[in-house]
Amino acid sequence: MGFSKEEISKSRGLWSSLWRGIKTLFVLFTMFFSFLLVSAPIFLAVADALLPSALLHRLSSPANLSSHLTNYDFRHSLIDIPLISIVRSAVILCVYGFCDGPKLSRGPYLTITMICSISSLIYISLKAAFVFGEPAIGDGGGNYFRAAEVALFLSSSVLAIGHIVVAYRTSCRERRKLLVFKIDIEAVSACKNVYPRYQKILQQKRLK
């Protein structure tokens, strides 16, 4: 039995609606991905400020956190790791907010991001050498506490490297934008220079 015209039209309408839905989802996903890429410095700064603090909160109670502040010891206290991450993310976010296109392409944003990230990586590496060079101490002790310490150091280090990567990609993107903008301006200026000459040639031909 063959299909009637109504059934064929219904199936075509169904497939066209499904195809439009797929294209709409693809456009929405592309827009969301582009938004994440453009806003990557902001999201990374927020994650840098929150993630190490949350890991430290898992390691110690609020009373122990206050004791870490009052009785700070470079070899044992971990309170400085989230503090470094918060200061680093705040400085990078402020510089990113005050910079425009040219400054984002080759200016203070990439330079300050690299200085903050590399200096914090050096500090974290030195501190890790002291912390992990001694037996684990903490509330729970054992493997859980040591694994949490490793996660704290790794998260801060990975986020520092992430700041450098995002800053470099942002700088490259702004350079491409400025290059395209410069080419467009040169093309428009060239057309403006050529068009008056062309008008003069036409006027001379008409006078002849």
Side-chain angles (χ1 to χ4, degrees), residues 171-186:
S171 176
C172 293
R173 187 180 69 245
E174 294 298 328
R175 287 180 193 174
R176 287 194 296 268
K177 286 182 181 178
L178 291 176
L179 181 61
V180 172
F181 184 68
K182 183 180 179 181
I183 292 173
D184 290 341
I185 291 178
E186 290 177 352

